[in-house]
Short mmCIF file of all heavy atoms in Angstrom, two decimals:
data_model
loop_
_atom_site.label_atom_id
_atom_site.label_comp_id
_atom_site.label_asym_id
_atom_site.label_seq_id
_atom_site.Cartn_x
_atom_site.Cartn_y
_atom_site.Cartn_z
N SER A 64 142.25 20.62 -82.11
CA SER A 64 142.84 19.42 -81.49
C SER A 64 144.36 19.57 -81.36
O SER A 64 144.96 19.06 -80.42
CB SER A 64 142.48 18.16 -82.28
OG SER A 64 142.99 18.25 -83.59
N GLU A 65 144.96 20.32 -82.31
CA GLU A 65 146.41 20.56 -82.22
C GLU A 65 146.73 21.48 -81.04
O GLU A 65 147.74 21.30 -80.36
CB GLU A 65 146.93 21.18 -83.52
CG GLU A 65 146.67 20.34 -84.76
CD GLU A 65 147.22 18.92 -84.65
OE1 GLU A 65 148.41 18.78 -84.34
OE2 GLU A 65 146.44 17.97 -84.85
N PHE A 66 145.85 22.46 -80.80
CA PHE A 66 146.04 23.34 -79.63
C PHE A 66 145.96 22.52 -78.34
O PHE A 66 146.73 22.73 -77.42
CB PHE A 66 145.00 24.45 -79.62
CG PHE A 66 145.32 25.60 -80.54
CD1 PHE A 66 144.41 25.99 -81.52
CD2 PHE A 66 146.51 26.29 -80.43
CE1 PHE A 66 144.70 27.05 -82.39
CE2 PHE A 66 146.81 27.36 -81.28
CZ PHE A 66 145.91 27.73 -82.26
N ARG A 67 145.01 21.57 -78.32
CA ARG A 67 144.88 20.73 -77.11
C ARG A 67 146.13 19.90 -76.86
O ARG A 67 146.56 19.71 -75.73
CB ARG A 67 143.64 19.83 -77.22
CG ARG A 67 142.37 20.63 -77.06
CD ARG A 67 141.13 19.81 -76.81
NE ARG A 67 139.97 20.67 -77.03
CZ ARG A 67 139.24 20.69 -78.14
NH1 ARG A 67 139.49 19.88 -79.11
NH2 ARG A 67 138.23 21.52 -78.25
N LYS A 68 146.72 19.41 -77.96
CA LYS A 68 147.97 18.64 -77.83
C LYS A 68 149.08 19.52 -77.27
O LYS A 68 149.87 19.09 -76.43
CB LYS A 68 148.41 18.08 -79.19
CG LYS A 68 147.60 16.89 -79.67
CD LYS A 68 148.09 16.42 -81.04
CE LYS A 68 147.02 15.62 -81.75
NZ LYS A 68 147.29 15.51 -83.20
N LEU A 69 149.13 20.77 -77.74
CA LEU A 69 150.14 21.70 -77.23
C LEU A 69 149.96 21.92 -75.73
O LEU A 69 150.92 21.92 -74.97
CB LEU A 69 150.03 23.06 -77.96
CG LEU A 69 150.69 23.19 -79.32
CD1 LEU A 69 150.33 24.53 -79.94
CD2 LEU A 69 152.21 23.06 -79.21
N ILE A 70 148.71 22.11 -75.32
CA ILE A 70 148.42 22.34 -73.90
C ILE A 70 148.82 21.11 -73.08
O ILE A 70 149.49 21.22 -72.05
CB ILE A 70 146.93 22.68 -73.68
CG1 ILE A 70 146.61 24.06 -74.28
CG2 ILE A 70 146.56 22.62 -72.20
CD1 ILE A 70 145.12 24.38 -74.39
N ALA A 71 148.43 19.94 -73.58
CA ALA A 71 148.73 18.68 -72.86
C ALA A 71 150.23 18.44 -72.77
O ALA A 71 150.72 17.86 -71.79
CB ALA A 71 148.06 17.51 -73.57
N GLY A 72 150.97 18.92 -73.78
CA GLY A 72 152.43 18.72 -73.79
C GLY A 72 153.17 19.51 -72.73
O GLY A 72 154.31 19.21 -72.39
N GLY A 73 152.50 20.55 -72.20
CA GLY A 73 153.08 21.30 -71.09
C GLY A 73 154.24 22.22 -71.47
O GLY A 73 154.98 22.69 -70.60
N SER A 74 154.41 22.50 -72.77
CA SER A 74 155.50 23.39 -73.20
C SER A 74 155.16 24.84 -72.85
O SER A 74 154.02 25.16 -72.47
CB SER A 74 155.70 23.27 -74.71
OG SER A 74 154.55 23.77 -75.38
N TYR A 75 156.12 25.70 -73.04
CA TYR A 75 155.91 27.14 -72.81
C TYR A 75 154.80 27.64 -73.73
O TYR A 75 153.89 28.36 -73.30
CB TYR A 75 157.24 27.88 -73.06
CG TYR A 75 157.14 29.38 -73.02
CD1 TYR A 75 156.56 30.04 -71.93
CD2 TYR A 75 157.64 30.16 -74.07
CE1 TYR A 75 156.47 31.42 -71.90
CE2 TYR A 75 157.56 31.54 -74.04
CZ TYR A 75 156.98 32.17 -72.95
OH TYR A 75 156.89 33.53 -72.93
N THR A 76 154.86 27.24 -75.02
CA THR A 76 153.81 27.64 -75.97
C THR A 76 152.45 27.13 -75.50
O THR A 76 151.46 27.86 -75.54
CB THR A 76 154.13 27.07 -77.39
OG1 THR A 76 155.41 27.54 -77.78
CG2 THR A 76 153.08 27.51 -78.41
N GLY A 77 152.44 25.89 -75.05
CA GLY A 77 151.19 25.29 -74.55
C GLY A 77 150.59 26.08 -73.39
O GLY A 77 149.37 26.29 -73.33
N LYS A 78 151.44 26.56 -72.51
CA LYS A 78 150.97 27.36 -71.36
C LYS A 78 150.36 28.67 -71.84
O LYS A 78 149.33 29.13 -71.32
CB LYS A 78 152.13 27.63 -70.39
CG LYS A 78 152.56 26.39 -69.61
CD LYS A 78 153.53 26.76 -68.49
CE LYS A 78 153.94 25.53 -67.69
NZ LYS A 78 155.20 24.93 -68.20
N VAL A 80 149.04 29.21 -74.79
CA VAL A 80 147.79 28.84 -75.47
C VAL A 80 146.67 28.68 -74.44
O VAL A 80 145.56 29.17 -74.63
CB VAL A 80 147.97 27.54 -76.31
CG1 VAL A 80 146.63 26.95 -76.71
CG2 VAL A 80 148.83 27.81 -77.54
N GLN A 81 146.99 28.02 -73.32
CA GLN A 81 146.00 27.80 -72.26
C GLN A 81 145.52 29.14 -71.68
O GLN A 81 144.32 29.34 -71.47
CB GLN A 81 146.61 26.94 -71.14
CG GLN A 81 145.66 26.67 -69.97
CD GLN A 81 144.53 25.72 -70.34
OE1 GLN A 81 144.77 24.57 -70.66
NE2 GLN A 81 143.28 26.19 -70.31
#
Side-chain angles (χ1 to χ4, degrees):
S64 61
E65 302 305 307
F66 280 124
R67 288 194 194 100
K68 285 179 201 163
L69 278 173
I70 291 168
S74 66
Y75 173 52
T76 303
K78 288 190 179 94
V80 165
Q81 180 71 64

